[in-house]
Amino acid sequence: MGQAATLPSKRGGTYVMELYEWFRKFINECPSGLITLHEFRRHFCNGTVGTESSEYAEQIFRTLDNNGDGVVDFREYVTAISMLTEGSPVEKLRWSFKLYDKDKDGAISRDEMLEIMQAVYKMSLAASITKASPTTAEECTNRIFVRLDKDKNAIISLDEFIEGALDDEWIREMLECDPSTVKVERPLKSHSVH
């Protein structure tokens, strides 16, 4: 069992109080004010489908870790989640682009796309969202590349990524990161029953 901090909404005067409460929960669970990859992976996996979500968790962590110091602080965490829940479609797609661009070279290769698609597929299969089919992740990657790689140079640029996703609802749904996957599930400290 786990409990997750609910995302604060920016409406009305309660936003500051909700943000404070969210910060209090974060500090209670992470007294150092930082989340390491190991902690993030453990909590993310506990909150999703176990070890099958480990690869995806690692890539989300690396995307959250803006300064690349190997830890995610509250500021990095809340900035990403606020943007993913309240941001414009373009802002969300920019963040998602970073998720797929593993080597941070400003372009997404077929291998980078396939690696994330395989991790998501593996997680979906474990959660019984998807039926088993060994080619699903590859077919998805091929379909995305056919639609987004307009100049046919075997990579997807940020512009191609955003423009293509905004023009195609299926692609946008495939590429946008769902904020519910970014929340960190926390096991209850006092009664951890498995």
Side-chain angles (χ1 to χ4, degrees):
M1 294 298 233
Q3 61 185 20
T6 55
L7 301 173
S9 68
K10 290 185 179 177
R11 292 165 197 82
T14 61
Y15 177 67
V16 172
M17 290 307 293
E18 287 178 42
L19 197 56
Y20 171 77
E21 180 62 19
W22 202 30
F23 179 71
R24 192 185 62 71
K25 288 178 183 178
F26 183 92
I27 291 300
N28 185 46
E29 296 296 334
C30 303
S32 68
L34 305 170
I35 302 173
T36 65
L37 173 57
H38 175 74
E39 290 169 321
F40 184 82
R41 188 186 289 131
R42 182 171 39 115
H43 294 306
F44 182 93
C45 293
N46 287 347
T48 53
V49 292
T51 57
E52 298 300 326
S53 55
S54 181
E55 296 164 46
Y56 189 52
E58 185 173 336
Q59 196 53 33
I60 287 178
F61 178 88
R62 295 200 190 297
T63 307
L64 289 170
D65 181 15
N66 273 332
N67 61 6
D69 64 356
V71 292
V72 172
D73 61 30
F74 182 74
R75 192 174 138 273
E76 288 171 319
Y77 186 72
V78 78
T79 299
I81 293 181
S82 292
M83 186 277 306
L84 287 170
T85 56
E86 302 286 334
S88 71
V90 170
E91 289 171 325
K92 292 176 184 180
L93 287 166
R94 281 183 194 281
W95 195 88
S96 293
F97 182 86
K98 291 192 309 186
L99 177 70
Y100 288 92
D101 183 17
K102 275 187 85 170
D103 63 7
K104 301 185 185 321
D105 68 350
I108 300 169
S109 69
R110 187 177 299 274
D111 287 344
E112 286 173 316
M113 177 71 68
L114 182 59
E115 199 171 322
I116 299 292
M117 286 294 167
Q118 285 170 333
V120 170
Y121 175 71
K122 192 172 169 185
M123 211 170 73
S124 298
L125 194 60
S128 302
I129 296 169
T130 304
K131 291 182 181 175
S133 170
T135 57
T136 300
E138 194 166 306
E139 286 173 352
C140 257
T141 300
N142 290 340
R143 185 173 173 187
I144 288 168
F145 261 80
V146 164
R147 293 187 181 184
L148 297 188
D149 185 18
K150 298 294 185 196
D151 60 8
K152 308 289 184 230
N153 65 347
I155 58 169
I156 297 171
S157 69
L158 176 61
D159 289 341
E160 287 173 325
F161 186 88
I162 291 172
E163 184 181 316
L166 290 175
D167 288 345
D168 189 311
E169 188 176 340
W170 178 83
I171 288 182
R172 188 170 56 253
E173 285 177 11
M174 291 298 297
L175 298 178
E176 270 186 359
C177 183
D178 180 353
S180 67
T181 66
V182 182
K183 70 184 178 199
V184 179
E185 294 280 345
R186 299 289 184 200
L188 299 173
K189 287 183 177 181
S190 54
H191 336 274
S192 197
V193 180
H194 295 287

